[in-house]
Structure formats: structure tokens, C-alpha cells
Amino acid sequence: MRRAVCPGSFDPVTNGHLDIIGRASRLFDEVIVGVLINQSKSGLFSVEERIDMLREVTASYGNVRVESFRGLLVDFCRAQRATVLIKGLRAVSDFDYELQMAQMNIGLAGVETLFMPTNPLYSFLSSSLVKDVAKWGGDVTPHVPDVVRAALKARLVPPST
Ligand code: ADP
């Protein structure tokens, strides 16, 4: 079975992430979305909340599983019996760091990295940008699934009493 891992913070998942996950799910038998637990950086959403949203929005794919991990990404790949990492590339600015990581990961454990060019519709999209826009009341409808839009609204705009 050919398994690939799509790693990231997903705080929260955007349509850019979903596009990559969906395309990867058509190329591999199984795709595991790996949500990084980063103790030194608390996100807007807890890891459990990110996982719940990811599970809901990837349920229709059928061959996508969502798990969390800490520590080395290659150790997570080994535990999941996945030999390939899928990374979305938005712009040249993503490339330098991603190349370094890809070379390190193949050296550490023989895990291959495949870069998938972003859909131009989402090339400017990042979780941080979506959070900034939502924080100031901007409309993020075109950029995130509905469940995420609702969660952002509930988290960032305190209900009036
Ligand atoms: P960010 O916080 O920058 O949105 P993550 O750490 O959650 O990103 O990203 C996980 C993976 O998803 C990375 O491989 C990243 O390049 C990819 N990715 C993020 N946003 C997009 C997008 N808009 N289009 C394509 N790939 C993306």
C-alpha cells in the first residue's frame, strides 16, 4: 500500500491545505494528515480542535486519516509506514526551507518529499493570513471550509452579552 503524509500545523485548515490533501488522496492509496504538536507555540485552536475540523472536512475523501505527532516528522512517517511526504509549494519563498527539510529527511530516514504546486486560487493563502483577516471581521468565506469559518467567528469575535 502506498501511503503519504501531509504534515503541517493546520491552525486552522484552509482551502489551500484541502486542495493539496485532496490531490494527494487521488495519487496514493492512503494519505495521513499529520498535525504537529508544537509545545513552544500555542495556536489559536488546540490540536484536538484542529484534528476535529480536519476530520470533518476530509471525511468525504475516504482514504484520508488525521493524526497528531510530536518530534521528528520522519519518525512519524516510519510509525505510519509512509515513505512519502507531500508538501504544497506556494511561491519561491517556500522553496529554500522546504528543500533543506526534504534533503534532511531523505538523509535521516530515506523518506522522499514530493512538492505539489499550489492551485493558483490559493497561492496567497496561509492560516496566519486567514486568522488576521478574520480577527478584523473580514470575510474568509472563499478561503476556508464553512466549519472553519464558523469556528473562527466563534473564537475571534466574543459573543455580546
Ligand atoms: P500555514 O500555517 O503556512 O498555512 P502549515 O504549516 O499548516 O501552513 O502547512 C502545511 C503544508 O501545507 C505545507 O506543506 C504548506 O506548504 C502547505 N500549504 C499551506 N498553505 C497552502 C496553500 N495555500 N496552497 C498550497 N499548499 C499550502
Side-chain angles (χ1 to χ4, degrees), residues 35-123:
V35 181
L36 175 69
I37 302 173
N38 185 347
Q39 265 137 355
S40 60
K41 199 170 140 199
S42 67
L44 177 64
F45 295 102
S46 70
V47 170
E48 292 71 26
E49 289 170 324
R50 296 178 212 177
I51 290 177
D52 285 348
M53 289 188 270
L54 274 161
R55 287 198 174 136
E56 185 167 341
V57 300
T58 58
S60 62
Y61 294 130
N63 63 342
V64 174
R65 199 148 50 77
V66 184
E67 308 286 347
S68 61
F69 74 98
R70 64 181 84 224
L72 279 182
L73 178 54
V74 291
D75 289 339
F76 175 67
C77 291
R78 197 179 289 127
Q80 297 293 330
R81 286 181 292 127
T83 50
V84 177
L85 283 166
I86 305 281
K87 292 294 195 82
L89 280 188
R90 284 166 285 202
V92 183
S93 51
D94 279 345
F95 185 72
D96 277 351
Y97 184 57
E98 290 294 348
L99 181 64
Q100 279 185 316
M101 286 203 293
Q103 289 168 334
M104 179 58 84
N105 286 335
I106 199 161
L108 281 173
V111 173
E112 288 285 3
T113 300
L114 296 187
F115 294 119
M116 204 173 259
T118 181
N119 179 327
L121 280 177
Y122 309 125
S123 58

Side-chain angles (χ1 to χ4, degrees), residues 7-10 16-17 20 87-88 90 94 118 122 125-127:
S9 307
F10 304 103
H17 294 128
I20 298 289
K87 292 294 195 82
R90 284 166 285 202
D94 279 345
T118 181
Y122 309 125
L125 213 52
S126 70
S127 298

